[in-house]
Amino acid sequence: MDLSKPSQKGVEFMIESIKSSLKMATAAAMQASAFSVEQYEDIRDIYEVATGSDRLSIAQVEALVSELGRLRKNS
């Protein structure tokens, strides 16, 4: 997937990859549609951290999940 240009498809791809990398127990609650392309760069930063390491500490996972929660659109 080409992530060099912001797109909703890119956001969806990155969110799904982040959920997989973090092995989130609440992954079903983290729907890609809850994120906006307007936060693309922030999501990409999280994506790069989450997918760029084989092992993340519990504190790192919690920080990434917290940041995702902050970026999620208000329902």
Side-chain angles (χ1 to χ4, degrees), residues 5-50:
K5 294 182 180 145
S7 69
Q8 190 62 38
K9 289 249 186 238
V11 168
E12 292 169 9
F13 172 82
M14 290 188 291
I15 295 297
E16 293 303 318
S17 295
I18 291 166
K19 290 185 335 189
S20 177
S21 292
L22 299 182
K23 297 172 181 65
M24 292 175 59
T26 59
M30 189 71 63
Q31 296 181 359
S33 61
F35 296 87
S36 170
V37 72
E38 292 158 1
Q39 294 138 340
Y40 190 86
E41 291 304 319
D42 292 329
I43 294 168
R44 187 168 178 184
D45 289 343
I46 295 169
Y47 166 80
E48 289 174 355
V49 171

